[in-house]
Amino acid sequence: QVLLVESGGGSVQAGGSLRLSCAASGHTFSNYIMGWFRQAPGKEREFVSGISWSGGLTYYADSVKGRFTISIDNAKNTVFLQMNSLKPEDTALYYCAADATTILYPDYWGQGTQVNVSS
């Protein structure tokens, strides 16, 4: 059973930073694509960033390019999202996701971690 557990969310002022972590277990994730999505109140869930298991390929939504960095620690089966220069519009519930084919339609989801950015 695949389990994705996020951590690292919290409250920060605009311009601040947070680092999210996603610990993956219950499966062999080699060749998987891992990623992060977010959902703000009243809005649809949106893609934020993705990374191949090897770490060689990364993907970012235009809204976070240059501010967020995704990385992976294969030895610990953990994916990270370093978020810098946070804006109030980054406030959302952030979900970790995994899929064997495409991160845009992941098969596996975490429970989410809340990020609040105040102005």
Side-chain angles (χ1 to χ4, degrees), residues 18-95:
L18 284 173
R19 189 192 195 205
L20 305 184
S21 299
C22 172
S25 62
H27 194 74
T28 300
F29 291 97
S30 56
N31 298 321
Y32 265 61
I33 303 173
M34 308 296 293
W36 292 92
F37 288 71
R38 66 187 181 186
Q39 187 167 18
K43 295 187 177 182
E44 293 186 353
R45 190 177 299 184
E46 63 175 0
F47 170 78
V48 175
S49 182
I51 188 168
S52 59
W53 191 253
S54 68
L57 294 173
T58 57
Y59 315 89
Y60 296 96
D62 288 342
S63 59
V64 306
K65 279 181 182 177
R67 300 188 299 121
F68 290 11
T69 302
I70 192 169
S71 61
I72 191 166
D73 184 333
N74 299 119
K76 296 182 178 180
N77 279 10
T78 301
V79 181
F80 303 98
L81 185 67
Q82 178 67 43
M83 306 186 295
N84 298 329
S85 302
L86 282 162
K87 304 175 181 180
E89 50 263 44
D90 295 317
T91 294
L93 187 60
Y94 283 71
Y95 295 92

